[in-house]
Amino acid sequence: MKKVIKKTLGHFKNKNYLFKKLYEMAAETYMYFKYKKIRHQNPTDDNIIIFESFIGKQYACSPKAIYNYVIKDPRFSEFTFVWAFRSGKLKQIKNEFTDTRTILVEYKSKKYYEYFSKAKYWVTNWRTQPFMTKKKNQIVIETWHGTPLKKIGIDLKIEGNATASQKKSHRMYLNDAKGYDFFISPSAFCTKVFTTAFGLDQLHKEHILIETGYPRNDFLLNYKQDDTNSIKSKLKIPLDKKVILYAPTWRDNQFALGVGNTLDVENHFSKFMKSISDDYVIIMRLHYLVASKLNLSEYEGKVFNYSQLDDVNLLYVISDILITDYSSVFFDYANLHRPILFYMYDLDDYQNNVRDFYIDLKELPGPIIKTEEELLDAVYNIETIENKYLDLYQTFCDTYNYLDDGKATERVVNTCIKFDS
């Protein structure tokens, strides 16, 4: 009976904005008191670390890098590691974990809340649920998930998000930051951004920011050529083709209730896919928040959809060219010193009505392109573009990626986790 009621309420929630708001307020209040009780019942265990990436949707990003580091570090021999995943992902991913100290729990399950309530360390790359307040003796390590081009959090002043009002969004960022003990920053630029975007200046918590570089980027500095051939073989990507990675971000103003964020790939990228020479293959990598369903059957063997692949680093290292827009992926990809094309077909609308940017677009290490025809021409003349942007590309890396040296994870672990002497 409970499942039927929950399913019915969920149906109405996805059809009506007012009901959705009231439902979420009631659910959050209920969970606040429930989690408070669970937290009280479970003492903190200094030897437990819990990891969560993209709210349980992926095994990726800096939490994955930190986990893979600590399971090999003898200092953690007596620790228990917990990973939280959504139910579908949990079934897919469980066989990848062979370390006997590691426990997998389902996102929002009873065990999920119990382990969060007693884990000494929380490692996440996103915000946690607002009712999950930590104890004073727990440590939250916020790794975040990229260097932002577009404005985020409290810095975002344009009202364009269909899922949350500006006021609510600002409150969520500020409330979440109250629980942070360490906030990883990949550069002085990001330190400045995170200070205002998360209200750390308002909270007088600027000191929690640690400039270490992103652990997730260590792989981009340490991978070997054999790794790329192995990845291509596993993903069935031809070894004799040039690989183009198309990785656009999501749009706040393109949201359908009951569906989620959408992206009109058909009207903005199909001509390019149809026209590109057979010397190339394309990997599609939509943002994890985008629910668009791609029908790529007519491009079989030419276009590969790896939007659901957790670790985008695998796609970075096998790609020869990155095509993106306002996504933060290009900051990370620039570590490879490979060409980047910025396909911003909706630039004017996006900048004026959705989100503004932190940096002057003249700093971008590649050209801004607004049509599919221009995009095709840019790909065919990529060497000319590389030469044109050579100096600007290096300046960009010196400004934003100077801490990426393959040792960021080591710095984060040594700074954030303390051992009894």
Side-chain angles (χ1 to χ4, degrees), residues 135-151:
K135 304 169 195 169
K136 289 183 179 180
N137 62 352
Q138 291 181 303
I139 303 296
V140 178
I141 304 169
E142 174 57 66
T143 71
W144 203 236
H145 50 271
T147 298
L149 167 66
K150 55 185 183 284
K151 291 192 174 181

Side-chain angles (χ1 to χ4, degrees), residues 52-115:
E52 185 175 284
S53 180
F54 296 112
I55 49 178
K57 292 183 177 182
Q58 295 183 6
Y59 175 46
C61 205
S62 290
K64 178 183 178 181
I66 294 170
Y67 168 74
N68 284 328
Y69 182 91
V70 297
I71 61 173
K72 298 172 185 175
D73 188 328
R75 293 176 297 175
F76 293 88
S77 61
E78 300 300 319
F79 274 66
T80 296
F81 309 111
V82 183
W83 267 97
F85 294 110
R86 307 257 174 158
S87 57
K89 174 57 65 176
L90 188 61
K91 294 174 184 176
Q92 297 172 11
I93 205 81
K94 61 182 180 181
N95 291 332
E96 291 195 28
F97 291 87
T98 57
D99 185 89
T100 57
R101 296 162 295 172
T102 304
I103 298 169
L104 307 186
V105 296
E106 184 178 337
Y107 183 72
K108 292 186 177 182
S109 67
K110 181 180 178 182
K111 287 290 185 183
Y112 172 86
Y113 293 122
E114 286 178 355
Y115 274 112

Side-chain angles (χ1 to χ4, degrees), residues 288-306:
Y288 80 98
L289 286 177
V290 174
S292 299
K293 302 299 181 184
L294 295 177
N295 182 1
L296 300 175
S297 56
E298 65 177 297
Y299 307 106
E300 188 174 353
K302 186 176 182 180
V303 181
F304 301 80
N305 183 14
Y306 279 111

